[in-house]
Amino acid sequence: MKRMNHFLNQIAKDLTNTNLERYWPNFELVAYALYDENSVFLFNHPRYNNIPPKLYEILKRDEQFVGNTLILFDGYPTAIADMELYDDYEGLFSILVHELFHGNQYVKGEKRFPDETLGITYPLTKENVEIRNRERKNLYNALLETDISKKKKYLKKFIGLREKRAEGIKEHLTYENLIESVEGPAWYVELKAFSEKSSLANDLVLKRYGKNLINAVESTSNTRRSCYSSGLFMCLLLDELSPDWKESFFGTKTTLFELIKLLDIAPRKQAIEEVQISPETEATVNFAVESRKKELDEFEAQIGTHFFIEGEIIALSFDPMNIVPLDGRLLHKNYIKVRINNQEYLVQQPSLTYCAGGLKNINKLLIVLKDKPLETGDSLVITGIGELMGQYTIQEDTINLVVK
């Protein structure tokens, strides 16, 4: 048995509707699965008869089980977590609660999911970064502040700064508000679960989850992920200032930011002084751009067979959390599923796409292969990906395949 398997019985015991309702009202438990390199341990799935004492079904792992996420497995929402990523019970348990919350959102008909392409095309402007990082510090201070009048001053400043940003990036700010409202509550229940199982003091747990909120480099480099911590802190502030907010949250399309504004602690219009770009912001933006460039350069410089596919390629799905965008290119660090010649292919390794009008239309895809492909004359067979038809040329460690 692998290192985490002894947690399986404990997980089943801890994950019940009753226990989950301590984190969120009417938290509905969907199916869930833990997996390792070879096996999937499936719990609470209606198509599998897990009658006690049999707590879970053991299945062979397939390509559906990638990352920590929510999938539709046999037509039913199923939270999945990779056991091999965790050494401690509280880490594994809390990420599973996070993904189960996404299952709860699915069952409750959550409508606040944003257009993910807005996250990948998010503008990296110095003015937005400057105001955004000030805004995030005020949100952080608002939660940690115990004096109620000071707390409200921080919140007023937070609201004013965000509304100032809306003037410049309205569409992309809507994206932020929506990500916060979908992922913030998932992080909120994750924090509750982690705190319950961990021996860490509550203030240390809060700082662990809040560090990304005030880390300017991290929040600038990954907009989507940075919205998790701002959403979480808004949830915790709402707990303090409007304790019943969770009861009706799924019955509305209201964002967390709109709920914060409904607390009626900020004047309708606030004067925000002229924005001066700080040296820290200059350095942060330059660092973010250089980091992206470095990641793409390192990918292109890898040793191995550089396999270029050119032609009509459609992206069907990808992991928006693990994409590095730069100048019309996207480095998919986790996986991408594409359609080529009316066939679907799952690339479960880093790849670089060159986009042609939108993120889903690709005119070139680069994969660095460890093994040479098998040649058949009019196709190439790639280990772990499949057979690709088309004309190809091979020059040393570079292969160019042209598809229709």
mmCIF file of all heavy atoms in Angstrom, residues 64-103:
data_model
loop_
_atom_site.group_PDB
_atom_site.id
_atom_site.type_symbol
_atom_site.label_atom_id
_atom_site.label_comp_id
_atom_site.label_asym_id
_atom_site.label_seq_id
_atom_site.Cartn_x
_atom_site.Cartn_y
_atom_site.Cartn_z
ATOM 1 N N GLN A 64 -8.560 10.547 -16.931
ATOM 2 C CA GLN A 64 -9.464 11.528 -16.316
ATOM 3 C C GLN A 64 -8.905 12.067 -15.004
ATOM 4 O O GLN A 64 -9.270 13.147 -14.560
ATOM 5 C CB GLN A 64 -10.822 10.893 -16.015
ATOM 6 C CG GLN A 64 -11.629 10.529 -17.231
ATOM 7 C CD GLN A 64 -12.924 9.853 -16.810
ATOM 8 O OE1 GLN A 64 -13.876 10.515 -16.425
ATOM 9 N NE2 GLN A 64 -12.954 8.540 -16.868
ATOM 10 N N PHE A 65 -8.035 11.269 -14.375
ATOM 11 C CA PHE A 65 -7.542 11.631 -13.042
ATOM 12 C C PHE A 65 -6.214 12.374 -13.153
ATOM 13 O O PHE A 65 -5.140 11.783 -13.149
ATOM 14 C CB PHE A 65 -7.448 10.365 -12.172
ATOM 15 C CG PHE A 65 -8.812 9.801 -11.875
ATOM 16 C CD1 PHE A 65 -9.412 8.895 -12.750
ATOM 17 C CD2 PHE A 65 -9.519 10.202 -10.757
ATOM 18 C CE1 PHE A 65 -10.689 8.402 -12.496
ATOM 19 C CE2 PHE A 65 -10.798 9.719 -10.500
ATOM 20 C CZ PHE A 65 -11.380 8.819 -11.376
ATOM 21 N N VAL A 66 -6.346 13.708 -13.315
ATOM 22 C CA VAL A 66 -5.192 14.597 -13.425
ATOM 23 C C VAL A 66 -5.430 15.794 -12.501
ATOM 24 O O VAL A 66 -6.468 16.445 -12.589
ATOM 25 C CB VAL A 66 -5.008 15.120 -14.874
ATOM 26 C CG1 VAL A 66 -3.781 16.014 -14.966
ATOM 27 C CG2 VAL A 66 -4.893 13.991 -15.872
ATOM 28 N N GLY A 67 -4.482 16.072 -11.615
ATOM 29 C CA GLY A 67 -4.591 17.246 -10.739
ATOM 30 C C GLY A 67 -5.616 17.083 -9.631
ATOM 31 O O GLY A 67 -6.180 16.008 -9.422
ATOM 32 N N ASN A 68 -5.847 18.176 -8.899
ATOM 33 C CA ASN A 68 -6.906 18.238 -7.891
ATOM 34 C C ASN A 68 -8.011 19.094 -8.489
ATOM 35 O O ASN A 68 -7.815 20.276 -8.761
ATOM 36 C CB ASN A 68 -6.408 18.906 -6.600
ATOM 37 C CG ASN A 68 -5.204 18.200 -6.016
ATOM 38 O OD1 ASN A 68 -5.124 16.967 -6.032
ATOM 39 N ND2 ASN A 68 -4.258 18.964 -5.506
ATOM 40 N N THR A 69 -9.187 18.491 -8.697
ATOM 41 C CA THR A 69 -10.232 19.224 -9.396
ATOM 42 C C THR A 69 -11.575 18.528 -9.202
ATOM 43 O O THR A 69 -11.699 17.582 -8.411
ATOM 44 C CB THR A 69 -9.875 19.361 -10.900
ATOM 45 O OG1 THR A 69 -10.794 20.245 -11.535
ATOM 46 C CG2 THR A 69 -9.867 18.025 -11.627
ATOM 47 N N LEU A 70 -12.588 18.999 -9.939
ATOM 48 C CA LEU A 70 -13.894 18.339 -9.981
ATOM 49 C C LEU A 70 -14.093 17.825 -11.396
ATOM 50 O O LEU A 70 -13.893 18.568 -12.356
ATOM 51 C CB LEU A 70 -15.005 19.341 -9.620
ATOM 52 C CG LEU A 70 -16.417 18.744 -9.573
ATOM 53 C CD1 LEU A 70 -16.630 17.955 -8.288
ATOM 54 C CD2 LEU A 70 -17.478 19.829 -9.692
ATOM 55 N N ILE A 71 -14.434 16.554 -11.527
ATOM 56 C CA ILE A 71 -14.701 15.990 -12.857
ATOM 57 C C ILE A 71 -16.096 15.367 -12.870
ATOM 58 O O ILE A 71 -16.703 15.149 -11.807
ATOM 59 C CB ILE A 71 -13.643 14.924 -13.248
ATOM 60 C CG1 ILE A 71 -13.683 13.719 -12.269
ATOM 61 C CG2 ILE A 71 -12.253 15.524 -13.313
ATOM 62 C CD1 ILE A 71 -12.823 12.527 -12.709
ATOM 63 N N LEU A 72 -16.604 15.095 -14.053
ATOM 64 C CA LEU A 72 -17.821 14.283 -14.167
ATOM 65 C C LEU A 72 -17.353 12.862 -14.438
ATOM 66 O O LEU A 72 -16.846 12.563 -15.518
ATOM 67 C CB LEU A 72 -18.708 14.788 -15.305
ATOM 68 C CG LEU A 72 -19.509 16.068 -15.027
ATOM 69 C CD1 LEU A 72 -20.326 16.460 -16.238
ATOM 70 C CD2 LEU A 72 -20.413 15.914 -13.807
ATOM 71 N N PHE A 73 -17.480 12.010 -13.447
ATOM 72 C CA PHE A 73 -17.045 10.623 -13.588
ATOM 73 C C PHE A 73 -18.291 9.740 -13.648
ATOM 74 O O PHE A 73 -19.119 9.749 -12.749
ATOM 75 C CB PHE A 73 -16.163 10.204 -12.411
ATOM 76 C CG PHE A 73 -15.640 8.799 -12.525
ATOM 77 C CD1 PHE A 73 -14.717 8.482 -13.502
ATOM 78 C CD2 PHE A 73 -16.100 7.799 -11.675
ATOM 79 C CE1 PHE A 73 -14.239 7.171 -13.629
ATOM 80 C CE2 PHE A 73 -15.638 6.493 -11.792
ATOM 81 C CZ PHE A 73 -14.698 6.179 -12.777
ATOM 82 N N ASP A 74 -18.436 9.012 -14.766
ATOM 83 C CA ASP A 74 -19.662 8.238 -15.011
ATOM 84 C C ASP A 74 -20.890 9.125 -14.851
ATOM 85 O O ASP A 74 -21.905 8.734 -14.261
ATOM 86 C CB ASP A 74 -19.756 7.040 -14.046
ATOM 87 C CG ASP A 74 -19.134 5.792 -14.649
ATOM 88 O OD1 ASP A 74 -18.550 5.897 -15.748
ATOM 89 O OD2 ASP A 74 -19.226 4.718 -14.036
ATOM 90 N N GLY A 75 -20.781 10.367 -15.365
ATOM 91 C CA GLY A 75 -21.922 11.279 -15.386
ATOM 92 C C GLY A 75 -22.266 11.940 -14.068
ATOM 93 O O GLY A 75 -23.314 12.578 -13.947
ATOM 94 N N TYR A 76 -21.385 11.804 -13.069
ATOM 95 C CA TYR A 76 -21.710 12.347 -11.747
ATOM 96 C C TYR A 76 -20.538 13.187 -11.233
ATOM 97 O O TYR A 76 -19.386 12.772 -11.368
ATOM 98 C CB TYR A 76 -21.997 11.181 -10.781
ATOM 99 C CG TYR A 76 -22.588 11.606 -9.462
ATOM 100 C CD1 TYR A 76 -23.918 12.012 -9.369
ATOM 101 C CD2 TYR A 76 -21.806 11.607 -8.313
ATOM 102 C CE1 TYR A 76 -24.462 12.415 -8.152
ATOM 103 C CE2 TYR A 76 -22.339 12.006 -7.086
ATOM 104 C CZ TYR A 76 -23.672 12.413 -7.018
ATOM 105 O OH TYR A 76 -24.203 12.811 -5.816
ATOM 106 N N PRO A 77 -20.828 14.393 -10.671
ATOM 107 C CA PRO A 77 -19.725 15.225 -10.184
ATOM 108 C C PRO A 77 -18.893 14.506 -9.120
ATOM 109 O O PRO A 77 -19.432 13.972 -8.155
ATOM 110 C CB PRO A 77 -20.433 16.458 -9.598
ATOM 111 C CG PRO A 77 -21.845 16.061 -9.382
ATOM 112 C CD PRO A 77 -22.145 14.999 -10.393
ATOM 113 N N THR A 78 -17.583 14.513 -9.334
ATOM 114 C CA THR A 78 -16.661 13.760 -8.469
ATOM 115 C C THR A 78 -15.430 14.616 -8.177
ATOM 116 O O THR A 78 -14.730 15.038 -9.095
ATOM 117 C CB THR A 78 -16.241 12.443 -9.167
ATOM 118 O OG1 THR A 78 -17.419 11.699 -9.526
ATOM 119 C CG2 THR A 78 -15.353 11.598 -8.279
ATOM 120 N N ALA A 79 -15.196 14.886 -6.902
ATOM 121 C CA ALA A 79 -14.005 15.635 -6.487
ATOM 122 C C ALA A 79 -12.820 14.675 -6.481
ATOM 123 O O ALA A 79 -12.930 13.562 -5.962
ATOM 124 C CB ALA A 79 -14.217 16.220 -5.097
ATOM 125 N N ILE A 80 -11.704 15.106 -7.057
ATOM 126 C CA ILE A 80 -10.532 14.220 -7.095
ATOM 127 C C ILE A 80 -9.305 14.919 -6.506
ATOM 128 O O ILE A 80 -9.152 16.134 -6.625
ATOM 129 C CB ILE A 80 -10.237 13.710 -8.528
ATOM 130 C CG1 ILE A 80 -9.790 14.851 -9.463
ATOM 131 C CG2 ILE A 80 -11.439 12.988 -9.115
ATOM 132 C CD1 ILE A 80 -9.213 14.377 -10.797
ATOM 133 N N ALA A 81 -8.450 14.140 -5.863
ATOM 134 C CA ALA A 81 -7.203 14.670 -5.293
ATOM 135 C C ALA A 81 -6.093 13.643 -5.454
ATOM 136 O O ALA A 81 -6.305 12.437 -5.276
ATOM 137 C CB ALA A 81 -7.395 15.035 -3.821
ATOM 138 N N ASP A 82 -4.918 14.144 -5.795
ATOM 139 C CA ASP A 82 -3.740 13.307 -6.006
ATOM 140 C C ASP A 82 -3.043 13.080 -4.656
ATOM 141 O O ASP A 82 -2.456 13.992 -4.083
ATOM 142 C CB ASP A 82 -2.800 14.022 -6.984
ATOM 143 C CG ASP A 82 -1.560 13.217 -7.337
ATOM 144 O OD1 ASP A 82 -1.300 12.200 -6.658
ATOM 145 O OD2 ASP A 82 -0.855 13.612 -8.275
ATOM 146 N N MET A 83 -3.116 11.847 -4.154
ATOM 147 C CA MET A 83 -2.541 11.525 -2.843
ATOM 148 C C MET A 83 -1.033 11.754 -2.790
ATOM 149 O O MET A 83 -0.484 12.019 -1.730
ATOM 150 C CB MET A 83 -2.799 10.049 -2.501
ATOM 151 C CG MET A 83 -4.224 9.751 -2.150
ATOM 152 S SD MET A 83 -4.345 8.143 -1.339
ATOM 153 C CE MET A 83 -4.136 7.046 -2.703
ATOM 154 N N GLU A 84 -0.379 11.622 -3.936
ATOM 155 C CA GLU A 84 1.081 11.691 -3.935
ATOM 156 C C GLU A 84 1.607 13.116 -3.748
ATOM 157 O O GLU A 84 2.800 13.328 -3.581
ATOM 158 C CB GLU A 84 1.625 11.059 -5.213
ATOM 159 C CG GLU A 84 1.248 9.578 -5.288
ATOM 160 C CD GLU A 84 1.981 8.807 -6.368
ATOM 161 O OE1 GLU A 84 2.411 9.438 -7.339
ATOM 162 O OE2 GLU A 84 2.111 7.579 -6.222
ATOM 163 N N LEU A 85 0.711 14.106 -3.764
ATOM 164 C CA LEU A 85 1.133 15.497 -3.566
ATOM 165 C C LEU A 85 1.202 15.883 -2.090
ATOM 166 O O LEU A 85 1.652 16.973 -1.756
ATOM 167 C CB LEU A 85 0.160 16.454 -4.282
ATOM 168 C CG LEU A 85 0.070 16.350 -5.802
ATOM 169 C CD1 LEU A 85 -0.981 17.308 -6.338
ATOM 170 C CD2 LEU A 85 1.427 16.636 -6.455
ATOM 171 N N TYR A 86 0.731 14.995 -1.201
ATOM 172 C CA TYR A 86 0.613 15.368 0.217
ATOM 173 C C TYR A 86 1.314 14.374 1.136
ATOM 174 O O TYR A 86 1.220 13.174 0.948
ATOM 175 C CB TYR A 86 -0.880 15.480 0.611
ATOM 176 C CG TYR A 86 -1.573 16.528 -0.209
ATOM 177 C CD1 TYR A 86 -2.185 16.190 -1.413
ATOM 178 C CD2 TYR A 86 -1.549 17.869 0.169
ATOM 179 C CE1 TYR A 86 -2.770 17.162 -2.216
ATOM 180 C CE2 TYR A 86 -2.144 18.846 -0.612
ATOM 181 C CZ TYR A 86 -2.745 18.489 -1.805
ATOM 182 O OH TYR A 86 -3.321 19.452 -2.597
ATOM 183 N N ASP A 87 1.976 14.922 2.143
ATOM 184 C CA ASP A 87 2.622 14.097 3.162
ATOM 185 C C ASP A 87 1.821 14.092 4.459
ATOM 186 O O ASP A 87 2.088 13.291 5.346
ATOM 187 C CB ASP A 87 4.031 14.628 3.473
ATOM 188 C CG ASP A 87 4.990 14.380 2.320
ATOM 189 O OD1 ASP A 87 5.010 13.241 1.816
ATOM 190 O OD2 ASP A 87 5.686 15.319 1.920
ATOM 191 N N ASP A 88 0.886 15.036 4.577
ATOM 192 C CA ASP A 88 0.155 15.151 5.840
ATOM 193 C C ASP A 88 -1.348 15.023 5.603
ATOM 194 O O ASP A 88 -1.859 15.349 4.534
ATOM 195 C CB ASP A 88 0.458 16.512 6.511
ATOM 196 C CG ASP A 88 0.182 17.666 5.573
ATOM 197 O OD1 ASP A 88 -0.977 18.083 5.466
ATOM 198 O OD2 ASP A 88 1.127 18.138 4.902
ATOM 199 N N TYR A 89 -2.034 14.553 6.632
ATOM 200 C CA TYR A 89 -3.477 14.323 6.515
ATOM 201 C C TYR A 89 -4.242 15.627 6.306
ATOM 202 O O TYR A 89 -5.143 15.705 5.468
ATOM 203 C CB TYR A 89 -3.993 13.605 7.772
ATOM 204 C CG TYR A 89 -5.472 13.276 7.687
ATOM 205 C CD1 TYR A 89 -5.914 12.267 6.828
ATOM 206 C CD2 TYR A 89 -6.414 13.969 8.428
ATOM 207 C CE1 TYR A 89 -7.263 11.959 6.723
ATOM 208 C CE2 TYR A 89 -7.763 13.671 8.331
ATOM 209 C CZ TYR A 89 -8.188 12.672 7.475
ATOM 210 O OH TYR A 89 -9.530 12.379 7.368
ATOM 211 N N GLU A 90 -3.868 16.675 7.059
ATOM 212 C CA GLU A 90 -4.637 17.921 6.970
ATOM 213 C C GLU A 90 -4.565 18.546 5.577
ATOM 214 O O GLU A 90 -5.530 19.137 5.092
ATOM 215 C CB GLU A 90 -4.195 18.934 8.037
ATOM 216 C CG GLU A 90 -2.744 19.339 8.017
ATOM 217 C CD GLU A 90 -1.880 18.504 8.953
ATOM 218 O OE1 GLU A 90 -2.195 17.311 9.182
ATOM 219 O OE2 GLU A 90 -0.876 19.040 9.460
ATOM 220 N N GLY A 91 -3.413 18.387 4.910
ATOM 221 C CA GLY A 91 -3.278 18.922 3.555
ATOM 222 C C GLY A 91 -4.183 18.197 2.573
ATOM 223 O O GLY A 91 -4.903 18.825 1.784
ATOM 224 N N LEU A 92 -4.163 16.866 2.627
ATOM 225 C CA LEU A 92 -4.994 16.057 1.730
ATOM 226 C C LEU A 92 -6.474 16.245 2.031
ATOM 227 O O LEU A 92 -7.294 16.448 1.126
ATOM 228 C CB LEU A 92 -4.611 14.577 1.873
ATOM 229 C CG LEU A 92 -5.368 13.601 0.966
ATOM 230 C CD1 LEU A 92 -5.069 13.858 -0.497
ATOM 231 C CD2 LEU A 92 -5.022 12.155 1.326
ATOM 232 N N PHE A 93 -6.826 16.213 3.304
ATOM 233 C CA PHE A 93 -8.226 16.349 3.718
ATOM 234 C C PHE A 93 -8.791 17.708 3.284
ATOM 235 O O PHE A 93 -9.881 17.787 2.709
ATOM 236 C CB PHE A 93 -8.341 16.190 5.242
ATOM 237 C CG PHE A 93 -9.741 16.380 5.764
ATOM 238 C CD1 PHE A 93 -10.705 15.403 5.578
ATOM 239 C CD2 PHE A 93 -10.084 17.543 6.449
ATOM 240 C CE1 PHE A 93 -11.999 15.582 6.055
ATOM 241 C CE2 PHE A 93 -11.370 17.731 6.930
ATOM 242 C CZ PHE A 93 -12.331 16.748 6.731
ATOM 243 N N SER A 94 -8.022 18.765 3.524
ATOM 244 C CA SER A 94 -8.548 20.106 3.236
ATOM 245 C C SER A 94 -8.674 20.372 1.738
ATOM 246 O O SER A 94 -9.623 21.023 1.304
ATOM 247 C CB SER A 94 -7.696 21.186 3.912
ATOM 248 O OG SER A 94 -6.351 21.112 3.509
ATOM 249 N N ILE A 95 -7.750 19.839 0.914
ATOM 250 C CA ILE A 95 -7.889 20.049 -0.530
ATOM 251 C C ILE A 95 -9.089 19.261 -1.051
ATOM 252 O O ILE A 95 -9.792 19.696 -1.968
ATOM 253 C CB ILE A 95 -6.598 19.696 -1.318
ATOM 254 C CG1 ILE A 95 -6.655 20.272 -2.748
ATOM 255 C CG2 ILE A 95 -6.368 18.198 -1.421
ATOM 256 C CD1 ILE A 95 -6.695 21.767 -2.844
ATOM 257 N N LEU A 96 -9.364 18.129 -0.461
ATOM 258 C CA LEU A 96 -10.537 17.347 -0.864
ATOM 259 C C LEU A 96 -11.822 18.092 -0.510
ATOM 260 O O LEU A 96 -12.774 18.126 -1.297
ATOM 261 C CB LEU A 96 -10.498 15.969 -0.190
ATOM 262 C CG LEU A 96 -11.291 14.844 -0.846
ATOM 263 C CD1 LEU A 96 -11.048 14.743 -2.337
ATOM 264 C CD2 LEU A 96 -10.968 13.513 -0.178
ATOM 265 N N VAL A 97 -11.850 18.727 0.670
ATOM 266 C CA VAL A 97 -13.013 19.544 1.057
ATOM 267 C C VAL A 97 -13.186 20.692 0.058
ATOM 268 O O VAL A 97 -14.302 21.009 -0.363
ATOM 269 C CB VAL A 97 -12.850 20.078 2.500
ATOM 270 C CG1 VAL A 97 -13.910 21.127 2.820
ATOM 271 C CG2 VAL A 97 -12.948 18.926 3.508
ATOM 272 N N HIS A 98 -12.074 21.305 -0.349
ATOM 273 C CA HIS A 98 -12.100 22.383 -1.352
ATOM 274 C C HIS A 98 -12.771 21.888 -2.644
ATOM 275 O O HIS A 98 -13.687 22.535 -3.173
ATOM 276 C CB HIS A 98 -10.650 22.818 -1.625
ATOM 277 C CG HIS A 98 -10.484 23.848 -2.706
ATOM 278 N ND1 HIS A 98 -9.806 25.028 -2.503
ATOM 279 C CD2 HIS A 98 -10.874 23.875 -4.009
ATOM 280 C CE1 HIS A 98 -9.806 25.742 -3.629
ATOM 281 N NE2 HIS A 98 -10.444 25.046 -4.561
ATOM 282 N N GLU A 99 -12.318 20.740 -3.153
ATOM 283 C CA GLU A 99 -12.868 20.233 -4.416
ATOM 284 C C GLU A 99 -14.307 19.748 -4.235
ATOM 285 O O GLU A 99 -15.131 19.878 -5.152
ATOM 286 C CB GLU A 99 -11.983 19.126 -4.993
ATOM 287 C CG GLU A 99 -10.545 19.555 -5.302
ATOM 288 C CD GLU A 99 -10.421 20.778 -6.219
ATOM 289 O OE1 GLU A 99 -11.402 21.122 -6.909
ATOM 290 O OE2 GLU A 99 -9.341 21.398 -6.226
ATOM 291 N N LEU A 100 -14.621 19.212 -3.060
ATOM 292 C CA LEU A 100 -16.009 18.814 -2.786
ATOM 293 C C LEU A 100 -16.925 20.037 -2.765
ATOM 294 O O LEU A 100 -18.100 19.955 -3.148
ATOM 295 C CB LEU A 100 -16.104 18.068 -1.442
ATOM 296 C CG LEU A 100 -15.700 16.597 -1.492
ATOM 297 C CD1 LEU A 100 -15.457 16.055 -0.085
ATOM 298 C CD2 LEU A 100 -16.767 15.758 -2.210
ATOM 299 N N PHE A 101 -16.387 21.166 -2.337
ATOM 300 C CA PHE A 101 -17.191 22.382 -2.357
ATOM 301 C C PHE A 101 -17.534 22.764 -3.796
ATOM 302 O O PHE A 101 -18.637 23.236 -4.080
ATOM 303 C CB PHE A 101 -16.463 23.537 -1.658
ATOM 304 C CG PHE A 101 -17.335 24.760 -1.501
ATOM 305 C CD1 PHE A 101 -18.274 24.830 -0.483
ATOM 306 C CD2 PHE A 101 -17.236 25.816 -2.386
ATOM 307 C CE1 PHE A 101 -19.099 25.937 -0.357
ATOM 308 C CE2 PHE A 101 -18.056 26.924 -2.266
ATOM 309 C CZ PHE A 101 -18.988 26.986 -1.245
ATOM 310 N N HIS A 102 -16.584 22.545 -4.720
ATOM 311 C CA HIS A 102 -16.901 22.792 -6.135
ATOM 312 C C HIS A 102 -18.010 21.835 -6.597
ATOM 313 O O HIS A 102 -18.846 22.199 -7.432
ATOM 314 C CB HIS A 102 -15.657 22.643 -7.003
ATOM 315 C CG HIS A 102 -14.678 23.778 -6.853
ATOM 316 N ND1 HIS A 102 -15.065 25.103 -6.834
ATOM 317 C CD2 HIS A 102 -13.317 23.794 -6.705
ATOM 318 C CE1 HIS A 102 -13.998 25.885 -6.685
ATOM 319 N NE2 HIS A 102 -12.935 25.109 -6.592
ATOM 320 N N GLY A 103 -18.041 20.622 -6.030
ATOM 321 C CA GLY A 103 -19.142 19.700 -6.312
ATOM 322 C C GLY A 103 -20.459 20.234 -5.765
ATOM 323 O O GLY A 103 -21.511 20.146 -6.416
#
